[in-house]
Amino acid sequence: MIVAKPKKGTLFSLGLFIVLAVGLATYITLTMLQGRPVWYQYALVALLYPIGIGLAIKVVWGYKVVTVGKNRISIKYPIRFQTVNYTLKELASWKESVVKTATGTFKEVAIKFVNGKILNLSYQEHTDYPQVIQYLKKKCARKAIK
């Protein structure tokens, strides 16, 4: 079984950004309560809180563990207490996108199922990405979009 989940480095960097954004917004809010606030403090607080809290909700709610193998694709959302199972017959198509940038190559696979749901996995953010691509090429080569 191939297990693709978010890399720890990705989660750490997003978590660090969230902590810094919310921490800075909290610090600015406390300084505003102690003295006379300036207009840019309001602007920073109004910007940092929604970004930090919104990103935290997106990361936590979107956390998924994808298991591929035995002619099945299973997507588990631990925070939602939900698991979605698909057979390879329910796979409508898949496409790997490769974009070369100045700093390297960005790879992402989009797997579309017959019910319209799309699963996106990227090389930079998920573990076992090459194994997932190899499995899809082996089992579902006809459904690949080029």
Side-chain angles (χ1 to χ4, degrees):
M1 297 295 276
I2 302 165
V3 179
K5 56 187 175 183
K7 291 182 179 178
K8 291 178 183 175
T10 302
L11 293 176
F12 176 77
S13 61
L14 287 172
L16 184 63
F17 178 79
I18 291 166
V19 167
L20 287 174
V22 173
L24 185 60
T26 304
Y27 175 74
I28 293 171
T29 302
L30 291 175
T31 7
M32 288 170 57
L33 293 174
Q34 292 176 354
R36 295 183 57 173
V38 186
W39 68 269
Y40 63 84
Q41 290 175 323
Y42 288 112
L44 285 173
V45 167
L47 183 71
L48 289 175
Y49 272 131
I51 288 174
I53 293 171
L55 186 60
I57 290 170
K58 183 177 177 353
V59 168
V60 170
W61 191 253
Y63 184 86
K64 63 183 172 263
V65 178
V66 179
T67 307
V68 179
K70 297 182 182 177
N71 293 326
R72 300 187 67 75
I73 297 176
S74 176
I75 307 166
K76 182 178 180 183
Y77 298 95
I79 301 300
R80 301 181 202 178
F81 301 107
Q82 179 184 20
T83 302
V84 182
N85 294 307
Y86 297 102
T87 62
L88 291 184
K89 292 179 182 178
E90 295 176 274
L91 193 143
S93 64
W94 65 276
K95 180 179 181 179
E96 183 180 24
S97 303
V98 179
V99 178
K100 295 192 183 225
T101 62
T103 57
T105 304
F106 180 78
K107 295 180 182 179
E108 181 179 59
V109 65
I111 303 170
K112 185 175 183 180
F113 298 100
V114 291
N115 64 356
K117 301 287 183 180
I118 298 174
L119 170 66
N120 291 315
L121 297 173
S122 68
Y123 179 73
Q124 287 77 4
E125 296 176 4
H126 294 88
T127 61
D128 292 343
Y129 176 85
Q131 290 87 346
V132 171
I133 295 298
Q134 183 180 3
Y135 185 83
L136 289 173
K137 286 180 180 177
K138 180 180 174 184
K139 296 286 188 173
C140 306
R142 291 183 180 176
K143 297 181 179 181
I145 298 174
K146 297 187 181 194

